[in-house]
Amino acid sequence: AEQRVIQARSLITQNRSSLLPQLGASTRSEQSWDDNKKTTSLHRFGAIINWEVDLLGRLRNSLTGSQYQLEAI
């Protein structure tokens, strides 16, 4: 029973996080030299923000179902 409670709480946390924006970042650096020993450096930075709008309530209903599942244990 304790394992099912832990699993249900984990599912609630996962479903709650799906309601929030997802953030990501990346970096990349390169350095090269030519025949004249001239150094060229390239630095790239990237950011990604992803958010799913819950127009039909699928994400919210999934969270509610997870909470009911925990209460049923």
Side-chain angles (χ1 to χ4, degrees), residues 1-13 66-67 69-73:
E2 182 180 338
Q3 192 65 21
R4 286 189 306 215
V5 170
I6 292 170
Q7 186 177 11
R9 286 182 180 159
S10 175
L11 190 58
I12 289 171
T13 301
S66 300
Q67 290 169 334
Q69 185 179 2
L70 178 62
E71 290 174 10
I73 296 177

Side-chain angles (χ1 to χ4, degrees), residues 6-39:
I6 292 170
Q7 186 177 11
R9 286 182 180 159
S10 175
L11 190 58
I12 289 171
T13 301
Q14 180 181 356
N15 287 333
R16 258 192 206 130
S17 69
S18 67
L19 297 173
L20 303 172
Q22 306 296 313
L23 307 173
S26 64
T27 61
R28 182 177 178 181
S29 295
E30 296 177 16
Q31 194 169 25
S32 61
W33 296 266
D34 62 12
D35 293 334
N36 297 327
K37 298 194 179 196
K38 181 179 176 184
T39 303

